[in-house]
């Protein structure tokens, strides 16, 4: 049965990958209109013909409605400018993108919808000014392994109109190219000047390049190859190779290179923070948001050997979130409990959690976490399974009675498949204050939860409900929860795998 379901999932993935990529190229302007828009359209059409993509060109904002957008994989803002969408169109666009779709922006896309906060965060920057058109040297960053810059040299000289942005480019982006400000005049960014980047934002895949002002730029193969690769990545047909078979530490150097922070709604008991609703239960309301952590709920401190340690205060519900998505990997970390506990969990076991295959909006579950599978990290329950939001996995389990109306399911390798929350059968945790080693192995929808070297659970057929259908869920971002308790994490590392390691095969059914 297991092999049959896996085969069905593989076939589903193959069918999805075989479907044509569909792109809506939108070029409406209410501000400055670039003469290069028509050249950009012709260039994109040539790329689409070569790649056998379906492409629609439009400046009709009425197309930005749920029904029409549902037929596209990628929304491309080609030198759009000004306030071009009404509220219902903004809502449709946001809903479309948070459902896992892709967004591409070139040049003046950052001069668009500058008063729409969600869009500004989606792009990662807002246009402020520019000097005259001139040549400048770009420093190319290939460490992310993104195909949009793989064809470029470490330095490239381009002629374009170089944007200065209103604020520093957002912390949550992955920078692919920066301007060398010593090579041109009129710069205003003060040294670090990103000009091309990509990132995951609120469920969307986002790629932006500040290139594309001139007509001639759309005849430059360097830019065209960049746009082509950006579309392929944004559509989900190509993934960034983020891992190798060697362990990659995720806390070395500046931890914010690998992590973002998202904080939810402060509980009404939180002190010394402005605008807290004293009636808040910590779920309803407006989240503090992305990389807004005024109370240092997630703090990076130094251990005795100089290693970085994540100190999670637990005071506000939140998540430390990887900037990258991962699939088919072995993750390993150490954690231990602190002393502090916070409302609304003062009388509950200390709680945190390792969320994986995280997808969708930041606030999809309890207004603070993404849709995800959870390897539970809670006193007495490290290694349990929880399904958050639209995520589902099959766990072999047996019933162990009920608490109230809730049936308690406990992991049993030979049990019937159960899709709900499941408790591990054996406790391998250490006493509070001691470091526990937690591992996660996940490959093509099968996952293994390991606590202090002991396998406590295996899960199968990971999937998510999307647009009314169940779809394979084999990759996503990773989140570490803040959930009312002080906890420490260290030595977080990850590596790719090409199969479930042999030593763990005996735990599969």
């Amino acid at each position: 049965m297991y092999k049959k379901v896996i085969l069905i999932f593989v076939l589903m993935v193959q069918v999805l990958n075989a479907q044509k990529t569909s792109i809506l190229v939108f070029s409406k302007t209410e501000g400055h209109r670039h003469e290069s828009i028509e050249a950009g359209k012709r260039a994109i059409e040539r790329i689409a013909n070569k790649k056998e993509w379906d492409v629609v060109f439009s400046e009709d904002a009425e197309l930005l409605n749920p029904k029409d957008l549902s037929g596209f994989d990628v929304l491309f803002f080609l030198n759009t400018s000004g306030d071009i969408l009404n509220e219902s169109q903004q809502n449709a666009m946001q809903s479309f993108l948070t459902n896992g779709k892709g967004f591409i922006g070139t040049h003046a896309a950052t001069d668009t919808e500058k008063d729409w906060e969600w869009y500004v965060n989606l792009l990662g920057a807002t246009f402020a000014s520019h000097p005259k058109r001139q040549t400048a040297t770009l420093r190319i960053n290939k460490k992310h392994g993104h195909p949009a810059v793989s064809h470029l040299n470490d330095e490239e000289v381009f002629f374009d109109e170089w944007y200065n942005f209103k604020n520093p480019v957002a912390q949550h982006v992955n920078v692919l190219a920066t301007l060398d400000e010593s090579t041109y005049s009129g710069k205003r960014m003060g040294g670090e000047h990103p000009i091309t980047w990509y990132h995951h934002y609120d469920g969307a895949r986002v790629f932006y390049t500040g290139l594309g002002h001139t007509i001639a730029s759309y005849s430059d193969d360097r830019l065209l190859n960049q746009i082509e690769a950006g579309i392929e990545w944004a559509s989900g047909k190509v993934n960034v190779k983020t891992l190798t078979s060697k362990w990659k530490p995720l806390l070395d150097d500046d931890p914010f290179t690998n992590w973002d922070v998202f904080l939810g709604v402060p509980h009404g008991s939180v002190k010394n923070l402005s605008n807290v609703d004293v009636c808040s239960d910590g779920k309803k309301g407006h989240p503090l948001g992305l990389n807004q952590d005024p109370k240092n709920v997630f703090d990076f401190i130094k251990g005795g050997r100089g290693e970085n340690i994540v100190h999670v205060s637990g005071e506000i519900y939140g998540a430390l979130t990887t900037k990258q998505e991962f699939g088919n990997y072995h993750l390993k970390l150490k954690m231990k409990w602190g002393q502090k506990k916070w409302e609304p969990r003062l009388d509950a076991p200390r709680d945190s959690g390792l969320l994986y295959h995280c997808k969708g909006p930041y606030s999809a579950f309890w207004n603070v976490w993404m849709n995800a599978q959870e390897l539970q990290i809670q006193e007495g329950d490290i290694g349990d399974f929880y399904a958050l939001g639209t995520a589902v996995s099959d766990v072999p389990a047996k019933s162990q009675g009920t608490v109230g109306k809730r049936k308690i399911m406990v992991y049993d390798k030979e049990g019937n498949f159960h899709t709900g929350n499941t408790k591990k059968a054996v406790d391998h945790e250490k006493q509070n204050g001691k470091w526990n080693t937690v591992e996660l192995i996940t490959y093509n929808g099968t996952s293994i939860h390991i606590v202090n070297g002991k396998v406590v659970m295996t899960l199968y057929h990971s999937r998510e409900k999307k647009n009314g259908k169940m779809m394979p869920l084999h990759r996503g971002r990773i989140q570490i929860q803040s959930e009312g308790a002080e906890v420490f994490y260290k030595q977080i590392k990850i590596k790719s795998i090409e199969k479930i390691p042999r030593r763990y095969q005996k735990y599969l059914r």
Side-chain angles (χ1 to χ4, degrees):
M1 176 67 178
Y2 168 63
K3 291 183 178 179
K4 181 178 179 181
V5 175
I6 286 293
L7 177 60
I8 292 172
F9 270 43
V10 170
L11 292 173
M12 287 173 65
V13 172
Q14 290 175 344
V15 168
L16 290 171
N17 288 337
Q19 292 176 348
K20 278 190 174 184
T21 298
S22 182
I23 309 156
L24 173 58
V25 179
F26 194 61
S27 54
K28 182 179 179 180
T29 58
E30 291 293 343
H32 177 75
R33 185 170 183 84
H34 284 73
E35 294 180 353
S36 61
I37 287 176
E38 295 306 317
K41 290 179 182 179
R42 292 192 294 271
I44 294 166
E45 188 168 32
R46 291 195 300 273
I47 297 171
N49 288 337
K50 179 183 72 172
K51 302 294 293 187
E52 297 185 338
W53 294 338
D54 291 328
V55 60
V56 173
F57 298 98
S58 180
E59 297 193 1
D60 181 5
E62 293 298 323
L63 269 179
L64 273 70
N65 66 76
K67 181 179 178 181
D68 288 323
L69 283 175
S70 66
F72 295 100
D73 302 302
V74 177
L75 178 60
F76 191 142
F77 273 22
L78 174 64
N79 278 343
T80 52
S81 66
D83 186 3
I84 56 176
L85 305 177
N86 62 31
E87 185 175 357
S88 67
Q89 292 156 0
Q90 290 177 347
N91 291 338
M93 175 178 165
Q94 182 172 341
S95 178
F96 167 76
L97 291 173
T98 56
N99 198 33
K101 300 296 187 176
F103 180 85
I104 303 287
T106 53
H107 196 56
T110 52
D111 192 25
T112 304
E113 294 291 338
K114 295 162 75 170
D115 295 323
W116 180 15
E117 182 181 8
W118 186 85
Y119 178 83
V120 170
N121 289 327
L122 175 83
L123 261 291
T126 300
F127 165 77
S129 65
H130 64 79
K132 66 179 181 180
R133 290 175 292 170
Q134 57 194 294
T135 59
T137 298
L138 276 61
R139 310 288 185 190
I140 309 301
N141 179 8
K142 296 185 179 182
K143 71 177 182 180
H144 296 297
H146 199 288
V149 294
S150 61
H151 62 290
L152 299 176
N153 297 313
D154 292 342
E155 293 186 0
E156 294 281 355
V157 177
F158 284 90
F159 179 87
D160 215 298
E161 180 182 77
W162 305 114
Y163 277 6
N164 298 306
F165 300 111
K166 183 177 179 180
N167 297 304
V169 174
Q171 177 183 317
H172 59 263
V173 311
N174 302 296
V175 177
L176 295 176
T178 58
L179 281 166
D180 182 344
E181 290 200 335
S182 69
T183 63
Y184 74 102
S185 62
K187 55 272 186 181
R188 297 279 181 85
M189 299 300 292
E192 186 67 21
H193 194 148
I195 200 66
T196 301
W197 56 81
Y198 77 103
H199 56 282
H200 300 269
Y201 181 77
D202 217 16
R205 290 182 170 218
V206 183
F207 177 83
Y208 171 80
T209 180
L211 296 164
H213 170 82
T214 68
I215 293 174
S217 66
Y218 292 100
S219 296
D220 189 329
D221 285 340
R222 295 175 299 172
L223 175 58
L224 301 186
N225 289 338
Q226 189 175 97
I227 290 173
E228 178 181 324
I231 291 173
E232 289 190 314
W233 174 79
S235 70
K237 298 298 176 66
V238 172
N239 292 310
V240 176
K241 185 175 175 57
T242 52
L243 299 176
T244 69
S245 59
K246 295 182 179 180
W247 287 109
K248 175 181 179 178
L250 295 180
L251 290 178
D252 281 7
D253 302 320
D254 179 3
F256 286 110
T257 300
N258 295 311
W259 301 91
D260 286 318
V261 170
F262 186 88
L263 284 189
V265 181
H267 188 272
S269 63
V270 173
K271 305 297 183 184
N272 303 317
L273 189 64
S274 61
N275 300 319
V276 173
D277 179 358
V278 295
C279 297
S280 171
D281 63 356
K283 296 180 183 179
K284 299 181 181 66
H286 187 68
L288 292 178
L290 185 62
N291 293 322
Q292 302 295 319
D293 189 3
K295 300 214 71 176
N296 291 324
V297 172
F298 294 94
D299 192 18
F300 296 103
I301 62 177
K302 291 294 183 181
R305 298 180 180 179
E307 64 183 345
N308 284 326
I309 296 176
V310 183
H311 172 230
V312 185
S313 76
E315 186 174 7
I316 303 172
Y317 285 177
L320 186 66
T321 308
T322 58
K323 292 180 183 289
Q324 303 289 356
E325 288 188 340
F326 301 106
N328 294 345
Y329 59 83
H330 185 172
L331 176 73
K332 192 172 185 177
L333 58 80
K334 291 187 176 182
M335 61 73 54
K336 71 174 181 179
W337 298 111
Q339 298 299 313
K340 296 179 181 178
K341 296 171 71 174
W342 308 89
E343 292 284 9
R345 296 187 57 85
L346 285 175
D347 298 323
R350 289 180 174 84
D351 198 6
S352 180
L354 174 65
L355 311 185
Y356 60 99
H357 298 344
C358 302
K359 293 281 191 176
Y362 294 112
S363 56
F365 187 84
W366 281 15
N367 209 12
V368 64
W369 299 304
M370 301 167 73
N371 298 313
Q373 313 282 24
E374 178 176 7
L375 189 164
Q376 174 68 288
I377 296 179
Q378 179 176 270
E379 286 181 308
D381 297 311
I382 298 180
D384 287 5
F385 168 68
Y386 277 74
L388 272 61
T390 60
V392 177
S393 203
D394 293 332
V395 187
K398 61 182 179 181
S399 175
Q400 200 178 69
T402 60
V403 174
K405 295 182 179 180
R406 185 165 60 93
K407 184 181 290 187
I408 302 301
M409 301 299 296
V410 177
Y411 173 73
D412 183 339
K413 180 183 174 182
E414 304 304 326
N416 295 324
F417 278 140
H418 169 68
T419 59
N421 302 337
T422 309
K423 295 183 69 64
K424 66 187 187 312
V426 182
D427 185 9
H428 292 290
E429 299 168 40
K430 297 180 181 179
Q431 67 186 71
N432 279 21
K434 299 291 186 180
W435 288 102
N436 293 278
T437 299
V438 178
E439 298 176 71
L440 167 67
I441 293 173
T442 181
Y443 182 78
N444 283 358
T446 297
S447 299
I448 303 176
H449 294 183
I450 307 168
V451 180
N452 292 317
K454 306 294 184 180
V455 171
V456 298
M457 188 175 298
T458 56
L459 307 88
Y460 304 88
H461 321 140
S462 177
R463 55 202 187 275
E464 63 176 331
K465 190 172 185 179
K466 197 170 184 179
N467 300 323
K469 299 178 181 179
M470 297 307 298
M471 307 294 289
L473 179 61
H474 295 174
R475 65 182 293 116
R477 300 167 80 177
I478 296 168
Q479 295 190 306
I480 292 174
Q481 291 178 309
S482 167
E483 196 173 354
E486 183 180 34
V487 60
F488 299 85
Y489 290 88
K490 69 177 183 177
Q491 297 176 20
I492 305 174
K493 57 184 180 180
I494 188 170
K495 66 178 179 180
S496 65
I497 57 174
E498 295 184 355
K499 61 181 179 180
I500 299 292
R502 181 180 299 176
R503 63 177 292 194
Y504 296 107
Q505 291 284 336
K506 64 183 178 180
Y507 298 100
L508 304 178
R509 57 184 292 170

